[in-house]
Amino acid sequence: MRWSRRDVLVLGGLALVGAAGASPSLAQAPRLGGTLTVRGWDPPMFDPMLTTAYRVHVPLSLTHSRLVKHKAGPSVVPGTFTIEGDLAESWTQPNDTTYVFKLRKGIRWHPKPPVNGRELTSADVKYTIERFLSVKGNPSAYMLRAVDRVETPDP
């Protein structure tokens, strides 16, 4: 039996229509909770300050936020590294050695002890930067060695 191009297109179209009718709707409402399964490996630890291993940083990139991050997506020109806010709503550089970050409102920790869902504060950011610089074994600490101090004039 010979198939014409038209036969193949008609059968392909019917298959798509049938598959669309049999598959669940893609516009389902999101559900809270559940388990995120990442294909690949189990990280050997969950402290990003103690390793540069991709096996730690890739899974944690799905759950940890940063002050700023590289912009991603289809609108980004390859080879450009535009910075956008993540936890920071905005930032200024009043002089060569000072950065002032304004944190987004409404950023909350997970609802588990000891943070119990409280809102992120500048003290949390200060703690993280100071820990980054002082934790023994951090192979990336050199990146922030130039930081003289972190001040938190308000939450």
Side-chain angles (χ1 to χ4, degrees):
M1 177 178 193
R2 286 184 46 97
W3 292 72
S4 70
R5 180 174 176 219
R6 177 174 287 183
D7 293 332
V8 172
L9 290 174
V10 167
L11 287 173
L14 289 172
L16 286 174
V17 169
S23 67
S25 170
L26 295 177
Q28 295 177 7
R31 293 179 302 182
L32 294 177
T35 301
L36 172 65
T37 302
V38 179
R39 184 177 181 182
W41 55 84
D42 288 333
M45 69 173 82
F46 285 100
D47 191 339
M49 294 184 193
L50 294 179
T51 183
T52 57
Y54 69 93
R55 291 180 61 172
V56 172
H57 287 272
V58 169
L60 293 182
S61 71
L62 301 171
T63 60
H64 286 59
S65 297
R66 305 159 290 288
L67 278 175
V68 295
K69 63 182 180 178
H70 287 111
K71 187 174 183 177
S75 65
V76 176
V77 176
T80 62
F81 295 100
T82 305
I83 302 294
E84 66 180 354
D86 193 6
L87 294 174
E89 179 177 286
S90 61
W91 59 94
T92 57
Q93 186 179 1
N95 60 51
D96 288 344
T97 61
T98 305
Y99 289 87
V100 179
F101 291 92
K102 180 179 179 186
L103 298 177
R104 293 184 192 279
K105 298 285 183 198
I107 304 286
R108 298 202 166 274
W109 290 94
H110 54 282
K112 304 280 184 189
V115 288
N116 299 316
R118 70 171 174 76
E119 191 165 2
L120 175 79
T121 67
S122 59
D124 297 319
V125 175
K126 179 179 180 175
Y127 171 83
T128 302
I129 293 170
E130 288 176 347
R131 180 174 185 269
F132 185 89
L133 288 167
S134 64
V135 68
K136 292 198 183 305
N138 183 354
S140 300
Y142 72 92
M143 292 192 295
L144 292 182
R145 287 275 184 248
V147 172
D148 180 46
R149 67 185 176 278
V150 179
E151 298 174 359
T152 56
D154 59 56

